[in-house]
């Protein structure tokens, strides 16, 4: 029975993670990057995976940079490099040589990096690095070497396992001692003690946990989220706050105040989008004399007079 439960638990886990792997593989295959290169004097399109150092890549606004390379032709080029530098503003590019060998990524205006986006202009570059040798590849390599911590539920189960195993071991020892004191055969007492210790271990717990993980994975999949590892479901459920410090990471450079409070006085809700001046401030709660729900248009700056 123990062997059967163990095999069943392993099958459940492998089946759930196999489905997630297949979904990720299908998603990756549908997002192939196409690069426009010049080979033998002709401009052709190839898969970005086929690029090699020395290829000449042609880029224009809207293209994604397929590899790391040195720009040698630029025309009003700007490339968005927020994934590497954290700057939400696109970086202007040129062909000038960088004098400092240790210049940070944000200051290397003659270089373009894999998976960044061309937001303006036209450029040509010669590929210098592909794959894991790129700056993005270095980031991926560091992430792969990072040791993943256990989820809160796994830590709780580890503590529970230690407690149960300790109690089962203590019960086993007490039963052996009592059996020998009462003159029972050691073999019979030992078998009974082992049976008691095994019965104290909840063999169905791993199967129950895996089943709950699978249910959470299906619920997230219904919302369009793909979970690669089953324990990640529980980790997401334990998140109470997400912190982001960069405009452009989770927004479109249009952060808008939705609510503000005057300490001890009033709290207002704000409507409107981005940098527009259209919207209202609604009193949500406040001191006596002001009616909650009252809408006030945005104040306008006084016009300058000559």
């Amino acid at each position: 029975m123990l062997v059967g439960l163990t095999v069943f638990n392993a099958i459940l886990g492998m089946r759930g993670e196999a489905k997630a792997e297949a979904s990720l593989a299908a998603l990756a295959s549908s997002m192939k990057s196409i690069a426009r290169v010049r080979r033998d004097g002709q401009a052709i399109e190839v898969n970005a995976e086929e690029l090699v150092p020395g290829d000449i890549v042609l880029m224009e606004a809207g293209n994604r940079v397929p590899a790391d390379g040195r720009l040698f032709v630029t025309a009003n080029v700007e490339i968005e490099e927020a994934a590497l530098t954290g700057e939400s503003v696109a970086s202007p590019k040129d062909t000038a040589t960088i004098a400092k060998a240790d210049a940070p990524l944000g200051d290397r205006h003659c270089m373009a990096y894999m998976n960044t986006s061309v937001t303006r202009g036209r450029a040509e570059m010669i590929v210098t690095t592909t794959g894991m040798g790129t700056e993005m590849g270095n980031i991926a390599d560091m992430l792969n070497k990072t040791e993943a911590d256990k989820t809160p539920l796994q830590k709780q189960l580890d503590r529970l396992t230690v407690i149960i195993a300790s109690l089962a071991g203590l019960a086993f020892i007490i039963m052996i001692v009592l059996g020998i004191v009462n003159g029972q055969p050691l073999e019979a007492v030992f078998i009974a003690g082992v049976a008691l210790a095994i019965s104290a271990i909840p063999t169905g717990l791993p199967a129950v946990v895996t089943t709950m993980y699978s249910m959470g994975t299906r619920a997230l999949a219904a919302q369009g989220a793909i979970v690669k590892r089953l324990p990640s479901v529980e980790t997401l459920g334990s998140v109470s706050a997400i912190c982001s410090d960069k405009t452009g990471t989770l927004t479109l450079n249009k952060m808008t105040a939705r609510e503000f409070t005057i300490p001890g006085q009033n709290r207002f809700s704000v409507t409107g989008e981005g940098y527009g001046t259209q919207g209202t401030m609604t009193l949500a709660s406040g001191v006596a004399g002001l009616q909650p729900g009252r809408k006030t248009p945005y104040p306008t700056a006084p016009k300058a007079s000559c």
Side-chain angles (χ1 to χ4, degrees), residues 4 7 9 27 72 96 103 106 120 126 132-133 151-152 167 170 206 245 260 301:
V7 172
N9 176 49
L27 184 62
F72 64 92
R120 180 186 178 191
I126 181 169
M132 293 301 290
T151 67
L167 293 176
L170 180 62
D245 66 339
F260 70 90

Side-chain angles (χ1 to χ4, degrees), residues 187-208:
E187 180 180 357
V189 175
F190 181 81
I191 294 176
V194 171
L196 177 63
I198 292 177
S199 64
I201 299 174
T203 54
L205 182 60
V208 172

Side-chain angles (χ1 to χ4, degrees), residues 166-180 189 193:
S166 300
L167 293 176
L170 180 62
F172 173 75
I173 294 173
I174 293 175
M175 189 169 184
I176 293 293
V177 172
L178 291 178
I180 294 176
V189 175

